[in-house]
Amino acid sequence: MRIDIVSLFPEISRAPLQESMMKRAQEAGQVEIHCHDLREWASDKHRKTDDEPFGGGQGMVLKPEPLFACVRALESEQAHVVLMTPQGPRFDQKRAIALAKEQTHLLLLCGHYEGVDHRVVEALVDEELSIGDYVLTNGALAAAVVTDAVVRLLPGVLGDERSAWEESFSEGILESPQYTRPADYEGRKIPEVLLSGHHEKIAAWRREQALQRTRENRPDLLGEQE
């Protein structure tokens, strides 16, 4: 997979993607990640990328010219153009799985200021995404979040393919509690069932604990899971 991230502040996206699993995935050739400065495609000497909105209003809006130019320069036949914006549908694990399975080239455009000229959305964008119901300074952090969530699902990145399917949200609910050695720490003992070696009982316990944790922390996820 190739991922291009276009932002006014590319270092915000680049920094977290140069550590840990994301770094190893790039070194292993499982993904190419490129972070670009939108100003590279500005046409005037001041590298201006924003302007006042027609009709008045607070703040500035990203101009269409540099965004059209950058997409035309970076897109491939396989490119899936995504705009990171608070106005988009909420990104979740289901969407991360779909992007990892269905796409080979993601082109992530990062909103800034009061958003982008809507002609960009109409003409260039295949999908809008938001990582949550809040507003960030810009979309660069959101793009890094989406990249991390998608890349870790690519074949071979996690090492153990089962890991991606046993995590929170992969089955629509939260993950069950996890424990490691020592079995007794300051009088706090792990549940006996985990020491039993009985795989069916352990699986049943984990399922019930996952449902209980979801009821307590994210009841909105349950739906028909019960």
Side-chain angles (χ1 to χ4, degrees), residues 162-163 165-168 174-183 188-191 194 202-203 205-207 209-210 213:
R162 295 172 301 174
S163 297
W165 302 104
E166 294 175 355
E167 295 172 326
S168 292
L174 303 184
E175 190 176 6
S176 63
Q178 300 284 0
Y179 298 89
T180 188
R181 287 184 285 268
R188 297 176 179 272
K189 299 180 179 180
I190 70 170
L194 298 179
I202 292 173
W205 178 86
R206 283 178 170 160
R207 175 68 178 178
Q209 289 295 309
R213 181 178 258 189

Side-chain angles (χ1 to χ4, degrees), residues 9-101:
F9 300 95
E11 289 303 319
I12 294 177
S13 296
R14 183 179 288 115
L17 299 175
Q18 293 298 318
E19 302 290 340
S20 186
M21 191 181 299
M22 295 301 105
K23 180 180 180 180
R24 293 195 295 271
Q26 292 174 78
E27 291 175 343
Q30 292 156 325
V31 64
E32 287 184 40
I33 302 174
H34 304 274
C35 298
H36 309 273
D37 187 342
L38 179 60
R39 296 179 184 87
E40 294 175 17
W41 289 277
S43 58
D44 68 306
K45 66 179 181 180
H46 300 293
R47 305 177 78 197
K48 186 174 176 60
T49 59
D50 63 302
D51 209 333
E52 297 175 355
F54 278 117
Q58 297 293 321
M60 305 291 278
V61 174
L62 289 180
K63 293 164 57 67
E65 301 99 308
L67 285 163
F68 270 75
C70 85
V71 170
R72 287 168 176 166
L74 297 173
E75 68 181 347
S76 63
E77 290 185 3
Q78 297 78 33
H80 184 72
V81 182
V82 179
L83 175 64
M84 304 308 307
T85 170
Q87 284 78 37
R90 192 187 307 179
F91 178 70
D92 58 16
Q93 187 70 4
K94 182 178 179 180
R95 192 68 199 120
I97 292 170
L99 290 173
K101 286 183 175 180

Side-chain angles (χ1 to χ4, degrees), residues 86 111-113 131-132 134-143 145:
H112 195 71
Y113 305 122
I131 63 168
Y134 45 85
V135 179
L136 298 171
T137 304
N138 59 67
L141 282 173
V145 168

